[in-house]
Amino acid sequence: MTTVRVGVVPTQRAALYSVLGILVTVTICGAFVAAFGANRVFTGLLAGAVAGVAALSALFTRDAVVLTDHTIYRRTPWTVSSIAWDRVVAGRFTLDERSRWSLALDLSGGDEPHGELVLLSIPPVVRPVTGAYDLRKRDQVTEIRAVLRRKRIPVTVLPQIAGALQQHWQIAPPTH
């Protein structure tokens, strides 16, 4: 069974997660100061920062889209919903409103905004893989394409995106 973890955290949820991380940090720091006195403010800040980073990490890790062979799962820290593959009409790799490359699925029916599910949003590829981020994004693009190919879902790719992927990341354009 193939499982691919992707997804884009919307800005509003990312802001909420950041506020929650700050609240955790401040609460733990305040608890340290209340329990041990003002001389432990730096210890409280350190413990709060560790807990805040752990909370942020847990929230962002839980927020994802998971593609499996049978279903697409959309997870948030509080809910899990599923989307049947038969609702997927097509895929597209285009520019989004922020001039980033967006790989999205077009869906029929349901309550998704504009009937789409964004799987990936990356900065334009302008050079070969140079680090862990580029490598992970290239692997995600390859994994998503493999799943969509197995599911026989047509994918539209803008020519400049297809050219850059082929030139810099050695990802061949989709064939029909």
Side-chain angles (χ1 to χ4, degrees), residues 74 92 104-107 112-118:
R74 186 177 28 208
R92 57 188 154 77
L105 298 178
D106 293 325
L107 306 172
E112 291 77 18
H114 311 294
E116 74 174 8
L117 179 62
V118 178

Side-chain angles (χ1 to χ4, degrees), residues 2 7 14 20 34 44 63 68 74 99 101 106 118 122 124 126-127 136 139 141 143 145 150 155-156 161 163 167-168:
T2 303
L20 290 173
D63 198 313
T68 68
R74 186 177 28 208
S99 297
W101 292 359
D106 293 325
V118 178
I122 59 174
V126 295
R127 63 182 181 271
R136 176 67 187 136
D139 289 347
V141 169
E143 291 168 348
R145 285 188 61 215
R150 273 196 315 278
V155 178
T156 304
I161 293 174
Q167 178 184 356
H168 300 299

Side-chain angles (χ1 to χ4, degrees), residues 135-166:
L135 183 61
R136 176 67 187 136
K137 293 305 169 189
R138 184 182 71 184
D139 289 347
Q140 283 183 320
V141 169
T142 303
E143 291 168 348
I144 293 168
R145 285 188 61 215
V147 169
L148 296 178
R149 185 176 296 127
R150 273 196 315 278
K151 293 292 182 183
R152 298 183 185 271
I153 295 172
V155 178
T156 304
V157 182
L158 287 178
Q160 66 264 31
I161 293 174
L165 287 174
Q166 185 172 17

Side-chain angles (χ1 to χ4, degrees), residues 65-154:
V65 175
V66 180
L67 308 174
T68 68
D69 288 334
H70 305 292
T71 307
I72 302 168
Y73 294 100
R74 186 177 28 208
R75 297 183 337 191
T76 66
W78 302 278
T79 62
V80 175
S81 61
S82 62
I83 300 168
W85 276 107
D86 61 358
R87 287 192 47 213
V88 178
V89 178
R92 57 188 154 77
F93 211 157
T94 59
L95 291 172
D96 66 13
E97 64 277 354
R98 296 180 309 169
S99 297
R100 292 173 60 90
W101 292 359
S102 178
L103 180 53
L105 298 178
D106 293 325
L107 306 172
S108 63
D111 59 352
E112 291 77 18
H114 311 294
E116 74 174 8
L117 179 62
V118 178
L119 302 178
L120 196 60
S121 178
I122 59 174
V125 174
V126 295
R127 63 182 181 271
V129 173
T130 57
Y133 177 81
D134 288 347
L135 183 61
R136 176 67 187 136
K137 293 305 169 189
R138 184 182 71 184
D139 289 347
Q140 283 183 320
V141 169
T142 303
E143 291 168 348
I144 293 168
R145 285 188 61 215
V147 169
L148 296 178
R149 185 176 296 127
R150 273 196 315 278
K151 293 292 182 183
R152 298 183 185 271
I153 295 172

